[in-house]
Each structure stands twice: as C-alpha cells, then as structure tokens.
Amino acid sequence: MGNCSKPPRVVLLGKQGAGKGTQAARLADHYGTVHLSTGDLFRAQAAQGTAFGLEAKRYMDSGDLVPDEIVMGVIEECLAPGGPLDDGFVLDGFPRTVPQAIDLDRVLGARPLDLVIDLEVPKEIVLDRIAGRRVCENCQTVYHVNMPPSHNWTCDKCGGNVRQRDDDTEEAVERRLELYERETVPIIDYYREQGLVIMVDGFGNGDEVFERLVKVIDDRMQA
Ligand code: ADP
C-alpha cells in the first residue's frame, strides 16, 4: 500500500511495448487496487471461445482496434458505480480513442480520474521489446527472450504456457503503432485540458520505472 489513504484512479497510456502491462500490474498490487487491461480481458475471452472473444480476436490479430461500441459494451458494467472499480484502479489499454475517453468520463461521473500517466519510450526500444516479448497465455505475465521463465517456457507464476502473442507479428505491430499515434495520442490533449497528464520516462529497468510512477502518483494523491 502506498502512503496515501485513498487508492488512486489512474489511466496509464504508452505505446505498445512501453511496459504498461507490467507496470500496471505492479502498481495495482502496490496500491491494493484493481488492474484492468482490456487487452488481457479480450485475450482471455478469445481463449475461452466466447462469441465476443472470437469477434475481438479478428481485430486483434490484424493489429486493428476493437470498435468502440463493442469495447464499451464489455467494460461499462465493470466501470459503473457499485462495480469492481469503486476502490480505485489502474487502467491499461483503455481508453484508447477519444470517444472511449469521453465515455469513461461519463461513466465515472462524480468519481473522476486522479491522473493520466503517459509512459514515454522511444520507438526503437519498443520495437526491440516487442520482438522478444513472450507472454503467459494463462495469466498474461510478460517475459522476454533474454529473461525467460526458469523452466522451459512454463510461467513462473502459474505454470501456464509462455509463448509469443498472435498479434506480435511485424505487420500487426506496425499497424498497432500507427493506430496508437492516430487514435490514442489525441487522448493526451483531451486529458491535458483537464490538467490530468503527467509524463514519465519509461526508459530504464522495471524497478526504476516503477519508482518514478509511484512518486508521481503519491505526489498527485497528496496534493
Ligand atoms: P498493445 O497495447 O500491445 O496493443 P493490448 O493487450 O493492450 O496490447 O491490446 C491488444 C489488442 O486488443 C489491441 O491491438 C486491440 O485490438 C485490442 N484492444 C485492447 N484494448 C482496446 C481498446 N480500449 N479499444 C479497442 N481495442 C482494444
């Protein structure tokens, strides 16, 4: 638990491979709050073969965004008052378009965001990270070919199978980065007008980046 009494309501933005997923999980753990990754949620649904999951997978595998109405249909309930996100959250991968950001504000209503963090990492570095990225298909823990699990591509946390994501192909990555610039970067201006954006340097090892994130969140929560 951090040294602030109320769990924060944070949106983490950053390019593919910026380290959002790893850091969001650590932050949620640190603040005793919920980590919501729409990508993880969609992959889990796809693995279970639900109608929604299979539809989402078609978009995901080609690097396209899942349409806004479909995304909102799935997560609106989660965000609504009385839902699992009442006691703070770290959102990872949502919102990803301006209409989603507007919808999020509407659903949050009287419980607005505390801050939006833009985790900055240069493109050359994210390309390298994504090329070597391997993910547990069960619990979504992220590894890298240079830092694999201890036993034969079996997840250290849950024993699941660790493999490359279906959308970590060169073409899909290119497409996702292009869509990030076009659809997600405009969100930063949207939130900047609300005075919510803080940039954090995402370059460096995981512990260093984590400390930077905790510092900006604690500063904001104590302000
Ligand atoms: P990445 O940030 O590397 O693309 P994610 O796991 O966050 O990885 O997302 C994987 C895919 O899931 C995206 O490429 C997209 O197809 C879909 N997706 C996840 N979140 C959203 C969202 N908020 N809106 C639309 N599509 C989404």
Side-chain angles (χ1 to χ4, degrees), residues 17-48:
K20 288 189 304 291
T22 307
Q23 296 295 344
R26 284 183 73 170
L27 289 170
D29 196 40
H30 178 80
Y31 289 104
T33 186
V34 178
H35 169 207
L36 176 66
S37 156
T38 40
D40 287 355
L41 190 82
F42 297 173
R43 277 187 290 278
Q45 294 266 329
Q48 285 165 29

Side-chain angles (χ1 to χ4, degrees), residues 14-17 20 37-40 42-43 56-57 59-68 71 75 92-97 100 130 133 140 165 167-168 172 176 179-180:
K15 285 190 209 52
Q16 286 69 18
K20 288 189 304 291
S37 156
T38 40
D40 287 355
F42 297 173
R43 277 187 290 278
K57 188 165 167 46
Y59 295 99
M60 291 166 79
D61 285 355
S62 54
D64 282 324
L65 292 179
V66 178
D68 291 337
V71 174
I75 70 161
D92 154 21
F94 176 85
R96 203 179 282 237
T97 63
Q100 289 181 16
I130 298 173
R133 172 156 78 181
Q140 316 277 343
R165 269 170 49 174
D167 61 348
D168 276 351
R176 278 148 65 208
L179 284 172
Y180 185 80

Side-chain angles (χ1 to χ4, degrees), residues 39-193:
D40 287 355
L41 190 82
F42 297 173
R43 277 187 290 278
Q45 294 266 329
Q48 285 165 29
T50 65
F52 161 75
L54 296 178
E55 185 175 7
K57 188 165 167 46
R58 291 208 329 260
Y59 295 99
M60 291 166 79
D61 285 355
S62 54
D64 282 324
L65 292 179
V66 178
D68 291 337
E69 320 77 74
I70 302 185
V71 174
M72 284 317 288
V74 177
I75 70 161
E76 179 146 2
E77 207 174 305
C78 231
L79 296 165
L85 304 189
D86 262 0
D87 291 321
F89 49 74
V90 182
L91 297 184
D92 154 21
F94 176 85
R96 203 179 282 237
T97 63
V98 170
Q100 289 181 16
I102 293 171
D103 251 355
L104 174 62
D105 278 348
R106 176 182 59 76
V107 181
L108 291 178
R111 310 162 305 154
L113 295 172
D114 294 306
L115 78 162
V116 173
I117 297 174
D118 177 17
L119 194 57
E120 274 296 318
V121 177
K123 187 169 175 189
E124 316 77 73
I125 291 174
V126 303
L127 287 175
D128 190 57
R129 287 185 185 172
I130 298 173
R133 172 156 78 181
R134 300 292 182 273
V135 179
C136 171
E137 54 186 12
N138 180 46
C139 75
Q140 316 277 343
T141 296
V142 178
Y143 298 88
H144 190 275
V145 285
N146 298 334
M147 233 196 268
S150 2
H151 300 291
N152 199 23
W153 297 103
T154 300
C155 180
D156 291 336
K157 290 199 183 144
C158 76
N161 191 23
V162 175
R163 58 188 286 269
Q164 190 162 34
R165 269 170 49 174
D166 291 337
D167 61 348
D168 276 351
T169 60
E170 211 175 308
E171 306 80 62
V173 169
E174 192 67 30
R175 174 93 182 119
R176 278 148 65 208
L177 285 167
E178 182 191 308
L179 284 172
Y180 185 80
E181 291 302 320
R182 198 169 83 208
E183 302 288 345
T184 308
V185 168
I187 294 184
I188 297 172
D189 280 337
Y190 172 83
Y191 284 130
R192 201 168 268 139
E193 279 167 26

